[in-house]
């Protein structure tokens, strides 16, 4: 398609030439969860679509309270036998394309909790040495040598205790050459029962609130009121850099809260994009997005 001619902008030309990131007001991206269905394609192919600036690898669903941490990547590979170290190649490929990769901890099924501040410190050291920029001869790296960009908190079970300490410890490992991104997926009732204290640390970079499976604060057929009201509350109250609208990528991906793409782009996005904290949309999950094509239907409207 031919574009209209425009005047040459020397400043814009310089910024593009120098590789400077240009921020556009109201622009956003898609965060997606990958790892819980072996039929959703590889991590490398997920990044190669160019649609997902943020990918959460799900889940480390056993950790803390004296347990041996366990990574569950469903049908993709078997971490316990060393079968996932080959993902190092995929991780590096994604990062070369500018995609941020986080390890998602928690989830709706698992065995995890933190028993003390010391336990939080021990879990943070494990995460740092096993998945991030740390190195320890005594810690096996399930995904190989490549370092992920951060940790995503999806705490849906157990207690809220000591996750704020875990966040602080993880952020303390940041160096000039290795930033540790902290992201999270709280439920939309505000404040989140299990993650509220951690979110109050104001150390989260990105928060993708789950606006689904929670009727009081989600979309219902023909009604965006509760959803918008909840978004505005989160936007006013959240102490984080960017806020994302978390949604199921297909009707089957959640019990409730699915928003048809045309409703999202015409009735919801124009409202929430006015928020200075707007970061985009989070989708559960890559598998369900493959089935529905949801991300392709909304990406140009973000």
């Amino acid at each position: 398609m031919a574009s209209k001619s425009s005047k040459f902008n020397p400043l814009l030309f310089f910024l593009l030439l120098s590789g400077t990131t240009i921020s556009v007001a109201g622009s956003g991206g898609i965060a997606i969860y990958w790892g819980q269905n072996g039929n959703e394609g590889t991590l490398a192919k997920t990044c190669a679509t160019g649609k997902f600036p943020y990918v959460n690898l799900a889940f480390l669903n056993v950790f803390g309270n004296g347990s041996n941490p366990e990574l569950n990547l469903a049908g993709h590979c078997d971490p316990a036998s060393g079968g996932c170290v080959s993902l190092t190649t995929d991780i590096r490929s994604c990062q070369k394309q500018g995609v941020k990769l986080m390890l998602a901890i928690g989830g709706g099924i698992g065995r995890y909790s933190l028993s003390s501040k010391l336990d939080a410190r021990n879990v943070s050291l494990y995460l740092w040495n096993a998945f991030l920029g740390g190195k320890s001869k005594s810690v096996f790296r399930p995904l190989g040598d490549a370092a992920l960009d951060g940790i995503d908190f999806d705490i849906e079970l157990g207690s809220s205790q000591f996750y704020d300490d875990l966040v602080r410890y993880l952020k303390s490992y940041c160096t000039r050459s290795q930033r540790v991104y902290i992201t999270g997926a709280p439920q939309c009732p505000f404040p989140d029962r299990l993650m509220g204290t951690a979110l109050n640390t104001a150390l989260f970079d990105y928060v993708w609130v789950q606006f689904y499976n929670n009727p009081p604060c989600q979309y219902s057929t023909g009604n965006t009121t509760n959803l918008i009201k909840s978004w505005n509350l989160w936007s006013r109250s959240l102490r984080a850099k960017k806020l994302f609208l978390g949604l199921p990528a297909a009707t089957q991906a959640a019990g409730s809260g699915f928003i048809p793409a045309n409703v999202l782009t015409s009735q919801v996005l124009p409202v929430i994009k006015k928020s200075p904290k707007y970061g985009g949309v989070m989708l559960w999950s890559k598998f369900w997005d493959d089935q529905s094509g949801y991300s392709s239907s909304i990406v140009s409207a973000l």
Side-chain angles (χ1 to χ4, degrees), residues 166-269:
L166 179 55
V167 169
R168 291 188 187 97
Y169 281 125
L170 288 168
K171 272 296 187 183
S172 74
Y173 303 142
C174 288
T175 66
R176 289 183 178 180
S177 60
Q178 175 73 48
R179 180 175 178 180
V180 178
Y181 286 85
I182 301 295
T183 67
Q187 306 292 312
C188 59
F190 185 89
D192 182 271
R193 181 176 64 87
L194 295 176
M195 290 185 57
T197 304
L199 289 168
N200 282 340
T201 62
L203 294 174
F204 280 72
D205 295 284
Y206 311 121
V207 175
W208 14 80
V209 179
Q210 297 183 51
F211 290 97
Y212 54 94
N213 292 334
N214 288 287
C217 49
Q218 69 183 29
Y219 171 80
S220 58
T221 305
N223 188 348
T224 63
T225 302
N226 289 346
L227 174 69
I228 298 299
K229 184 178 179 181
S230 181
W231 168 274
N232 288 336
L233 176 58
W234 276 96
S235 183
R236 289 194 308 269
S237 309
L238 181 66
R239 300 170 66 195
K241 293 181 177 67
K242 291 293 180 182
L243 175 64
F244 291 67
L245 186 76
L247 300 172
T251 54
Q252 310 97 308
S256 60
F258 175 77
I259 306 178
N262 66 311
V263 175
L264 179 70
T265 56
S266 65
Q267 299 180 39
V268 179
L269 288 178

